[in-house]
Amino acid sequence: MPVLPTPRRDVRLLLALAAAAALLTAPAPAATADEPGWSAEPATGTAAGPAGRPGGARPYFYLEGAPGAVLEDRLVLTNTTDRERTVTLRGADAQPAAEGAPAVRPAASGEPAGAGSWFGFGAGATVRIPPRTRAVVPFTVTVPPASPPGDHPAAVIAAETGREVGVRVHLRVSAPTLAALTVEDVAVRGRGAAAVVAYTLVNRGNVALAPELDIRADGAFGAVPGPGPRAVPVELPPGGRAELTEPWPGAPTVDRVRVTVTATAPGGARAAAAASAWLVPRRAAGWAGCGLLALGGTALTAMFLVRGRGPRRRPADGGTPPAAAPAPDHELTGAPR
């Protein structure tokens, strides 16, 4: 006997069909305000520098040319949202960075004074990117004829309202390069486990440097454990200066030490500087100071006492001293007169 559909079953069937239709026709969720929505990166398939081979992904631009050369490359802007994006492009001066985004001069601070002013985007300084689209924007870097040789850190900045993306540009003016640096202002600060070695590195050449350190220490009775070799956490641009400290948890408690800081970098750059310091506990230093003060006071008192026992002065009136009384005649008894 066939089963006839009931009204309740028909209602359930209609609801299931309506839910399926809603899922099929529902629009894709729009990007939220917190999503970046677009990105900027070097285009693939162009000449690559040390970062990788041609045709592969590049984390940054690498451009090199002689003074007066015009260098070319391309930037890719990708819009991952369902609305059009308007992005503006500019060049900027930058500080070298081992990782992450470059430190660049803000747009509000005025026109770039260094390599950032060498960039040109032509009509592509403002780019409209349709939804779900990529835009490839060519740009040029015109090296001035009088540019000094060496590294000139820069960046390409892509900006939209409320967001900026910086792409690093390793720009080198080809010519004889000089790698040189100095170590300055070496000092030992703190005591015990809180001791640190302070120093200053200065890039005296025309190429960016990533120095490495070797810190050695000698005490009154020979070598003592020092911080040892390590890499410096900064990259120095030409003319750059960095004031740094290295922890020295194994510093001796009581000793007269001489600390030598040696810095080396690729290209043959090498420099060293040293400083001496007394390492004594604070309480011992206080007692030693009190002892020196007491010793100084004792010496001063003794000096005053010695001066008080000096020869007597002559009479103030300038007269001659009284004559001495003549010695008495002694009479010899029993002798004739």
Side-chain angles (χ1 to χ4, degrees):
M1 179 178 180
V3 179
L4 297 178
T6 62
R8 180 175 298 178
R9 183 174 299 175
D10 292 341
V11 171
R12 290 179 179 177
L13 180 60
L14 290 175
L15 291 176
L17 292 175
L23 291 176
L24 292 175
T25 59
T32 64
D34 295 334
E35 295 177 356
W38 58 274
S39 62
E41 61 186 354
T44 59
T46 57
R53 299 177 180 176
R58 296 182 293 165
Y60 53 79
F61 292 104
Y62 181 88
L63 300 172
E64 182 175 358
V70 179
L71 312 176
E72 299 179 350
D73 214 316
R74 299 182 299 166
L75 178 74
V76 172
L77 299 173
T78 304
N79 181 2
T80 59
T81 67
D82 292 326
R83 66 181 182 87
E84 183 181 78
R85 299 281 185 172
T86 301
V87 179
T88 59
L89 303 177
R90 63 180 177 91
D93 301 335
Q95 295 292 332
E99 299 179 357
V104 301
R105 183 194 303 269
S109 63
E111 294 297 325
S117 62
W118 305 352
F119 287 76
F121 298 92
T126 301
V127 184
R128 297 182 181 276
I129 316 171
R132 307 288 178 179
T133 305
R134 301 177 65 194
V136 179
V137 184
F139 65 90
T140 60
V141 177
T142 303
V143 183
S147 299
D151 295 331
H152 297 263
V156 174
I157 304 299
E160 191 188 35
T161 303
R163 182 170 183 251
E164 281 192 352
V165 175
V167 183
R168 296 160 54 194
V169 179
H170 289 266
L171 178 59
R172 172 167 292 185
V173 178
S174 56
T177 58
L178 173 64
L181 77 161
T182 57
V183 181
E184 304 174 3
D185 305 328
V186 178
V188 179
R189 301 172 184 167
R191 295 174 175 83
V196 297
V197 178
Y199 60 94
T200 300
L201 297 180
V202 184
N203 186 345
R204 303 293 184 182
N206 57 17
V207 294
L209 298 178
E212 294 185 355
L213 290 182
D214 188 8
I215 303 178
R216 305 287 180 177
D218 294 309
F221 303 100
V224 297
R230 62 188 61 202
V232 179
V234 298
E235 185 178 356
L236 288 175
R241 183 184 188 92
E243 298 179 359
L244 304 169
T245 58
E246 296 291 337
W248 189 9
T253 304
V254 180
D255 204 346
R256 169 73 171 177
V257 296
R258 180 174 178 81
V259 177
T260 302
V261 179
T262 303
T264 58
R270 179 183 175 87
S276 298
W278 278 102
L279 298 179
V280 294
R282 295 183 183 274
R283 182 173 298 177
W287 283 111
C290 292
L292 290 175
L293 288 176
L295 182 61
T298 303
L300 189 62
T301 303
M303 182 172 30
F304 277 113
L305 291 175
V306 171
R307 287 185 177 180
R309 295 181 180 180
R312 297 179 180 177
R313 298 194 220 176
R314 293 184 177 181
D317 56 6
T320 59
D329 292 333
H330 296 281
E331 183 178 339
L332 299 177
T333 62
R337 290 178 180 242

